[in-house]
Amino acid sequence: MTTSPQPPHEPHPDHDRGLEFDLSTLMSRRSLGLFFGAGTAAAALAACTPGGSTSGAASSSTTATASASSAATPSASASATPSASPALTRAIAECGVEIPQETAGPYPGDGSNGPNVLEASGVVRQDITASFGASTTKAEGVPLTVTLTLLDNADGCKPLAGAAVYAWHCDRDGKYSMYDAGLENENFLRGVQEADANGQVTFTTIFPGAYNGRWPHIHFEVFESMSNATAAGQVLAVSQIALTEATCNVVYATAGYESSARNFPNTTLTSDNVFGGDGGIHQLATMSGSVAGGYTAGLNVTV
């Protein structure tokens, strides 16, 4: 059951200024960081990079490498030097088969089918669980951290540093913000991230639900850069992440996912109209975790 919308509140004065305003602010802060010198620059850059942090980057890297076999944790800033982590080395070794191109579906929110969240200030963020702007309604569910590793097939599988990813998915009831009845004014479970030096982006979200006709999945679009992530059509790849059957069975047995528990058995991975052609072999996430501690999902995305 979707959380009831919070009472409306006055939006931040910059919330209606769009993604281009976000990007100009991001770049100006990065320039300011360079002015203050190496130590301060690193802190300023981490603070203004989506999902960045001024502390804990090393411990975060250790944790994610241990918990997600196909995805190392992203560094605090996009200008960091790529580390020769086992996960990144493995991703490059497996590179060569480009991610299948898929439909963005009927609820992309990218301007190709109705509303365009990519024009909204605030869409550049790591944690996508709550709406931003005029609402702060939070999507409830089992925590999920998703990491994509982007690789350039035409350039020797070099990490796509500086690329951008727009990710979105349904809530635990199988409904999409901006489209489904009662959610037209919500934009939770949607967000944009810039790839770090390892070509990685990470989103903090909730485990999506299952609805009839589709295997549980997460949509994403890859753009060459953040400046291109403002309109539909300027994409390098449009694809989807397939979640694993074992994890879905565990999550859908928990409170709040009752509708997903009923819908999940109705569609198999091989009968799904997106993943069925090859069983999602190149889109099936590597997953680990628990309901209590949350799950991680990792996918290598070769474009």
Side-chain angles (χ1 to χ4, degrees):
M1 180 172 60
T2 305
T3 304
S4 299
Q6 300 293 328
H9 64 278
E10 289 298 320
H12 188 279
D14 288 336
H15 271 146
D16 61 351
R17 301 182 66 177
L19 178 57
E20 291 185 3
F21 174 81
D22 285 357
L23 297 181
S24 64
T25 302
L26 183 70
M27 295 308 296
S28 64
R29 289 180 181 175
R30 287 177 174 173
S31 298
L32 183 62
L34 293 175
F35 175 79
F36 283 114
T40 306
L45 182 57
C48 68
T49 300
S53 171
T54 57
S55 64
S59 61
S60 175
S61 177
T62 301
T63 302
T65 301
S67 63
S69 63
S70 72
T73 197
S75 59
S77 87
S79 65
T81 301
S83 59
S85 68
L88 180 59
T89 301
R90 185 164 53 251
I92 294 175
E94 295 171 356
C95 178
V97 178
E98 295 188 359
I99 193 77
Q101 297 284 340
E102 308 290 5
T103 175
Y107 314 115
D110 62 0
S112 63
N113 184 23
N116 190 355
V117 74
L118 297 179
E119 295 179 342
S121 178
V123 73
V124 181
R125 62 206 186 123
Q126 184 178 55
D127 188 336
I128 63 174
T129 54
S131 288
F132 60 92
S135 173
T136 57
T137 301
K138 184 177 181 180
E140 299 295 336
V142 173
L144 175 66
T145 300
V146 180
T147 299
L148 301 180
T149 301
L150 311 178
L151 303 172
D152 186 352
N153 196 38
D155 192 17
C157 292
K158 180 180 179 181
L160 275 172
V165 172
Y166 167 43
W168 72 97
H169 63 83
C170 67
D171 65 12
R172 65 181 178 183
D173 294 317
K175 297 181 178 180
Y176 286 86
S177 66
M178 304 178 71
Y179 290 90
D180 275 296
L183 301 180
E184 298 92 337
N185 296 321
E186 303 293 346
N187 51 29
F188 52 63
L189 307 182
R190 299 177 184 274
V192 175
Q193 279 283 289
E194 182 179 21
D196 65 13
N198 292 318
Q200 293 179 317
V201 295
T202 294
F203 293 94
T204 301
T205 185
I206 57 103
F207 202 96
Y211 53 91
N212 280 323
R214 284 304 319 275
W215 183 265
H217 60 282
I218 297 172
H219 295 266
F220 66 92
E221 295 176 341
V222 181
F223 298 84
E224 185 176 6
S225 67
M226 290 288 283
S227 61
N228 284 345
T230 56
Q234 302 178 21
V235 295
L236 296 177
V238 180
S239 197
Q240 300 177 28
I241 306 168
L243 304 178
T244 61
E245 181 177 11
T247 306
C248 289
N249 282 327
V250 174
V251 172
Y252 296 159
T254 64
Y257 285 92
E258 289 80 6
S259 64
S260 295
R262 293 190 298 269
N263 295 332
F264 182 53
N266 299 335
T267 306
T268 66
L269 189 58
T270 54
S271 69
D272 181 78
N273 61 11
V274 170
F275 304 124
D278 59 6
I281 186 172
H282 301 299
Q283 295 156 281
L284 192 63
T286 298
M287 304 194 69
S288 63
S290 66
V291 169
Y295 285 90
T296 62
L299 184 69
N300 301 331
V301 179
T302 303
V303 298

